[in-house]
Amino acid sequence: MMRYQLSLFFILLNVYLLAQDEKTEVQKLAETASNPVAPVGKLIFQNFTHTGSGNTWSNTLLVEPVIPLMINEDIKVINYGIIPLETNYTGEAKISQTHLGNISYQGLMANRKPISLGENGHLTVAVGPSFVMGTSTNERHGTWNVGVALAAIYHHKSFMGLVNYSPSWGVGGSSIDQSMFQYIFNYTFKTGTSINTQPMMMKSEAFVGDTKWLIPVGGGVGQMLPFKSLPMNVSFNVYYNLVRPEIMQHQEWQFNVNIVCVLMGKNKY
């Protein structure tokens, strides 16, 4: 009798542990929203506000349409467009200026079938061209650049890690080279709540002074809102600008609001 009871106990324990590994629908949807190479259409709004000591601040709103294209059974291309709207406020002169920034594009070609790494681990690698168009309505900042985008995305159950590096070089008479580097660590709970860090680091020859890097550190939280008509993931992050160019010497803090609208498609990883 004791043997049957022990057998039943271990069977129930295994069922419980298996159920713990099963993901909820809102959790799957949240992971799809946070996955940059998911084969789904998205519309992303990212708003960055830089502020700190002094009465000077800047705000950048990025509108990012994401359009996936399935090439064949092995390859997919994720097309990213980035449209920036930039506002700068100078407290001493009490001047606020808003202008269109340089529109950019990335075309990430990635493997559709992730590479298995250990138990429950999956790796996706991506590479593709990147372009920066000199569309800025601020005459001093209009530059044309051509470059490459490199990314690696690792998934393990509810954890995602990403590294993205995109260097570009000035063309068409522009001598301004710039690079963007981003790492993302994201963990999503069954409720669709997530904790993450996803700082965007930048090096640009356009920065005035000896310091050419902007390096923020910090993190934040997000929540998936599974609306039937338009599911969206909303996150809020706070970063400290550990290294910043001289033009941003008073802008110590960075506040980021990120809204990801999932438009179409389904995602496995």
Side-chain angles (χ1 to χ4, degrees):
M1 184 66 176
M2 180 62 70
R3 183 175 61 184
Y4 290 119
Q5 289 177 338
L6 288 175
S7 298
L8 179 61
F9 170 76
F10 284 113
I11 290 173
L12 293 175
L13 179 61
N14 288 331
V15 171
Y16 172 76
L17 293 176
L18 180 61
Q20 290 299 101
D21 290 335
E22 293 180 355
K23 296 181 180 181
T24 63
E25 290 302 317
V26 67
Q27 185 181 20
K28 294 178 183 178
L29 195 55
E31 291 177 358
T32 297
S34 63
N35 185 355
V37 293
V40 299
K42 303 177 188 175
L43 184 59
I44 304 174
F45 300 90
Q46 291 197 73
N47 193 84
F48 297 89
T49 301
H50 296 266
T51 185
S53 60
N55 194 19
T56 300
W57 56 269
S58 66
N59 190 87
T60 301
L61 172 64
L62 303 180
V63 181
E64 306 174 23
V66 181
I67 303 173
L69 180 62
M70 303 300 112
I71 302 299
N72 52 41
E73 294 182 354
D74 300 316
I75 299 174
K76 59 186 175 184
V77 175
I78 311 298
N79 299 283
Y80 284 86
I82 304 176
I83 306 170
L85 297 174
E86 303 170 352
T87 300
N88 296 289
Y89 178 80
T90 303
E92 296 180 358
K94 295 183 178 180
I95 296 176
S96 177
Q97 296 179 330
T98 300
H99 61 272
L100 174 68
N102 294 320
I103 296 174
S104 60
Y105 164 81
Q106 286 187 2
L108 288 175
M109 183 178 298
N111 51 305
R112 292 186 63 177
K113 298 178 181 178
I115 303 168
S116 295
L117 290 180
E119 186 177 358
N120 298 317
H122 303 278
L123 177 68
T124 301
V125 293
V127 62
S130 67
F131 304 96
V132 178
M133 294 168 277
T135 56
S136 176
T137 54
N138 185 329
E139 295 180 359
R140 296 177 299 174
H141 298 155
T143 62
W144 293 81
N145 290 66
V146 174
V148 62
L150 307 167
I153 304 95
Y154 174 74
H155 283 90
H156 184 272
K157 295 185 178 180
S158 299
F159 170 80
M160 184 193 74
L162 173 144
V163 177
N164 183 15
Y165 177 58
S166 179
S168 63
W169 300 271
V171 295
S174 171
S175 59
I176 297 177
D177 300 338
Q178 60 185 25
S179 300
M180 287 196 301
F181 177 79
Q182 185 178 32
Y183 63 87
I184 298 177
F185 299 121
N186 187 92
Y187 185 88
T188 305
F189 298 94
K190 292 183 180 295
T191 57
T193 303
S194 60
I195 54 176
N196 68 83
T197 180
Q198 47 183 350
M200 183 79 71
M201 291 168 275
M202 174 182 288
K203 179 184 179 183
S204 177
E205 297 300 325
F207 290 147
V208 178
D210 296 330
T211 304
K212 302 298 183 181
W213 277 95
L214 171 64
I215 302 179
V217 293
V221 296
Q223 178 62 51
M224 189 69 213
L225 305 176
F227 302 130
K228 290 184 179 181
S229 58
L230 186 63
M232 63 181 63
N233 190 77
V234 180
S235 63
F236 179 75
N237 297 66
V238 179
Y239 298 99
Y240 178 74
N241 291 328
L242 186 64
V243 177
R244 54 192 183 275
E246 294 178 12
I247 194 173
M248 296 177 63
Q249 59 179 328
H250 296 300
Q251 300 175 38
E252 302 173 0
W253 293 95
Q254 179 184 143
F255 302 93
N256 170 225
V257 178
N258 190 356
I259 301 175
V260 182
C261 302
V262 181
L263 303 178
M264 61 181 181
K266 296 182 179 179
N267 177 39
K268 184 178 179 181
Y269 297 106

